Amino acid sequence: MSFFDAFNANWHFKSNSTLPITTNSTSPNSRFSLTRRCTRLLAGLAVLCLFLFFSRHGPNIELESDDQSLADQQTHSLPPLYEKYHDYERHLPQHDLSLPFPEGRDAKFFWTPNHVYNSGWGNAMQELLMNAVLAHTTRRALVFDNFTWERDAPDYSTYNGKLIPARIPLSAIISGPMIGAPFPHGDPAPRAVSQEYFKKVCPNTTIIDCMEVNEHLRLNNSVPALEIFDRWVEKLNSIEDPCVEIKLDSPQLFEIWLFGSRRILSMWPILSKSPILSEFSWSPLILQAAAANADLFAPKSSSFQFLPSYMNPSGRLPTHTTLHDVHPILTPKNLDPVPELLALHIRRGDFADHCLHLGRWSSDFNGFNQFAALPDKWKVPTDITWGNTTEANLNMYLKACFPSIEQIVEKVQNVLADQRRIHGSSNELKRVYIMTNGDVEWLGQLKEALMQVKKWDAIVTSRDLKLSWEAKPVAQSVDMLIGQRARVFIGNGFSSLTSNIVMFRMLMNLPPEDTRFW
């Protein structure tokens, strides 16, 4: 099924499917009253802080790009706060105490306030996925939170000198059971709920320190992720209290030490069969942004005739009612590859320092970049001590993690040769999409160099996409969707974003030889 056919088939009966939250006498009224007073006070303080912040840092506020209308620039001089998305999440239909078991008054919950923050979406998504599968396995409602850059900041934070939302609601990025969509018919697990609802219905909770389970497991490379997962299943199943949360200042249950090693692969048999992944979809906002730019990277024969009108680039703009829906629209099994497309994930900027750090500590590829079927392997140097390395080893890490233009061109040439050997003259790659944070001048040089390899029909980068005001802060997910669907993908083996793309490509049963690394 094509991207557009699948979207149309799933869209019409899922729009406007939410119900308002039901309040009743069993709700803790005193808690609600306190929350309102605190909210008003905090709102006032936030406004004051923002005023002081912007009065000092106003020149650093980034306006909309030149390709958007002047009116849009004047209307949205600050990044979005996604108020309507937050409100949509507050009013999910499962936020209702009168619902029958396994929801309502008899629901059981699992909340991880210690989830990762101040990290990229790739890292956050990996942890969210594991926590969601754990909640589903123990038949507890996952308590979801925002994608969080700063927990306690005002509405905005800064990154690389630019203003960004401090918190982004997950429904602006993803759809599916992780954000409250129903599980498939017959599945006994309750739907996920917001942390606001959880705090209202669970004023008293059982708090678990992560180290009760993970202390002797988390850093032991001989302990697979599956063993840690099973220990947590046993722990949660032993607790009768319906309201369970992890201690705020304890480490995450599933950490970078797992995701950055082969240990996480032990979870694949469970993950690949879980409805958390099989019913996953990118949000309507992400799908709309990709569809609106599809003519840049997809064959000209691609048709928009099956799309809802708001998904058609020439149609009317999307409204909040069409963009807000947690029901999965396009699951991995319904996504087909974009023919003729080669996607490249190329990190620049401060990633050079990160790559050098990886080299000094002899780091391995991210876990999901180490599937046995994938052709490009990484061999961790064994001739050095941990924390020390050689110049030759550092150069080896930079080539795989922060490749130069010459090294990128060489890899593309090798992949094209492999493709010709496998497919002959069929399945020719004709377009390139570059997922990158590289600067415009460097990308111009890269495009020129790639055009010397062959006369591509198009070479497009992340910076060429025309994104709406709300899509810009979540543009990484647009990149991930394109990389997921590319016929051939070359990624960064040390990147969690690449790792998530590879995970989805494996879930889609794409040929392993079409997923490569620098």
Side-chain angles (χ1 to χ4, degrees), residues 45 64 71 205 376:
L45 291 174
E64 293 294 288
T205 64
D376 293 328

Side-chain angles (χ1 to χ4, degrees), residues 327-374:
H327 292 79
I329 298 169
L330 280 177
T331 60
K333 67 180 180 182
N334 290 327
L335 279 175
D336 54 351
V338 176
E340 305 174 355
L341 179 63
L342 169 65
L344 313 177
H345 181 203
I346 305 174
R347 288 289 301 268
R348 306 315 285 173
D350 60 1
F351 209 65
D353 293 335
H354 179 64
C355 296
L356 291 172
H357 175 78
L358 295 173
R360 295 186 190 100
W361 293 96
S362 303
S363 299
D364 208 345
F365 268 3
N366 218 270
F368 288 128
N369 295 331
Q370 298 189 59
F371 281 103
L374 299 176

Side-chain angles (χ1 to χ4, degrees), residues 82 85 89 168-174 283-286 323 470 474:
Y82 302 96
Y85 289 85
E89 292 177 3
I168 298 177
L170 289 182
S171 60
I173 308 173
I174 62 174
S283 71
L285 177 64
I286 301 302
L323 287 180
E470 289 184 328
V474 293

Side-chain angles (χ1 to χ4, degrees), residues 44-207:
L45 291 174
V47 171
L48 176 60
C49 291
L50 284 173
F51 173 79
L52 294 174
F53 181 88
F54 294 137
S55 66
R56 294 179 58 191
H57 300 281
N60 291 327
I61 295 173
E62 185 179 42
L63 298 180
E64 293 294 288
S65 61
D66 292 338
D67 56 80
Q68 295 190 326
S69 67
L70 178 61
D72 198 38
Q73 294 181 39
Q74 294 172 338
T75 303
H76 302 303
S77 60
L78 298 175
L81 294 178
Y82 302 96
E83 292 97 335
K84 290 187 171 75
Y85 289 85
H86 285 297
D87 188 64
Y88 169 82
E89 292 177 3
R90 292 186 190 102
H91 292 83
L92 289 171
Q94 55 265 43
H95 296 167
D96 182 354
L97 290 175
S98 68
L99 292 174
F101 180 83
E103 297 175 332
R105 293 179 178 83
D106 298 315
K108 301 177 75 174
F109 305 95
F110 177 57
W111 164 227
T112 56
N114 64 328
H115 65 78
V116 69
Y117 68 100
N118 202 231
S119 292
W121 169 242
N123 299 103
M125 184 178 179
Q126 289 178 327
E127 184 201 7
L128 174 63
L129 170 63
M130 286 293 293
N131 287 338
V133 173
L134 176 59
H136 175 258
T137 302
T138 56
R139 297 185 181 179
R140 288 179 176 268
L142 174 73
V143 179
F144 61 81
D145 198 5
N146 304 302
F147 169 45
T148 303
W149 188 251
E150 284 192 69
R151 284 176 178 163
D152 303 318
D155 290 333
Y156 295 106
S157 184
T158 56
Y159 179 72
N160 284 345
K162 296 180 180 180
L163 210 62
I164 62 172
R167 291 162 292 277
I168 298 177
L170 289 182
S171 60
I173 308 173
I174 62 174
S175 298
M178 281 194 287
I179 185 61
F183 288 98
H185 179 72
D187 192 309
R191 289 169 289 182
V193 301
S194 72
Q195 56 95 6
E196 291 183 20
Y197 177 75
F198 171 76
K199 290 178 179 179
K200 291 175 181 177
V201 300
C202 286
N204 301 300
T205 64
T206 294
I207 299 177

Side-chain angles (χ1 to χ4, degrees), residues 414-433:
N414 292 338
V415 169
L416 290 177
D418 290 342
Q419 290 290 308
R420 286 192 295 270
R421 176 178 52 81
I422 296 170
H423 302 291
S425 59
S426 63
N427 290 330
E428 182 183 1
L429 298 172
K430 298 180 179 180
R431 295 166 186 80
V432 180
Y433 180 77

